[in-house]
Amino acid sequence: MATMATMTLAAPLEDTSEITDNNFQVTIDDPKYTLVEFVKNDCDICDDVKRRLKDIAPAYKTSLKVVSLNSDTNLVKPSQFTRQEFPALVLFHVGAYVAALTGDKSKSDIETFLENNHVLKA
């Protein structure tokens, strides 16, 4: 059974927060865009993408919150929002699905994805 992770919604983006199936909805209901990285244990590509997200997050600090959900320990939300391709970056705005990006993406790919979906830099 997954336990509820402690999460501060105003946490700095440099520290990607981990969320669970239990607090997923309240997390994505934020008025900022929320980018959820769906990851798996022992996924080197997931770790690489997470580092890239931490690098670019400060540039979007006023409009974007970045969080991570472990798909090995949380089974409900990944089955709703991913095609079981990891890592999967899924963008939400005020609780609604916006778009998704999967696989090993460069910083440039991620920034283009955000900008194409109207996420503004600070």
Side-chain angles (χ1 to χ4, degrees), residues 51-115:
R51 280 190 290 279
R52 291 177 197 130
L53 289 171
K54 285 183 179 184
D55 286 346
I56 67 169
Y60 296 89
K61 66 184 174 186
T62 59
S63 61
L64 180 70
K65 174 174 54 175
V66 179
V67 296
S68 178
L69 188 139
N70 185 313
S71 299
D72 288 325
T73 56
N74 297 278
L75 305 175
V76 175
K77 296 305 176 184
S79 67
Q80 292 175 348
F81 294 106
T82 71
R83 294 181 304 249
Q84 300 304 309
E85 297 176 50
F86 298 95
L89 303 177
V90 183
L91 185 64
F92 298 90
H93 190 239
V94 194
Y97 171 89
V98 175
L101 184 67
T102 58
D104 189 9
K105 300 301 180 195
S106 68
K107 281 193 231 182
S108 176
D109 292 335
I110 297 167
E111 288 179 321
T112 298
F113 168 74
L114 293 172
E115 290 165 15

Side-chain angles (χ1 to χ4, degrees), residues 5-20 23-24 27 34-39 50 53-54 57 65-70 74:
T6 302
M7 185 175 131
T8 304
L9 294 180
L13 290 174
E14 294 78 20
D15 299 321
T16 304
S17 299
E18 289 192 24
I19 62 170
T20 67
N23 64 353
F24 184 89
T27 301
T34 303
L35 185 64
V36 180
E37 181 190 19
F38 290 88
V39 300
K50 183 174 283 196
L53 289 171
K54 285 183 179 184
K65 174 174 54 175
V66 179
V67 296
S68 178
L69 188 139
N70 185 313
N74 297 278

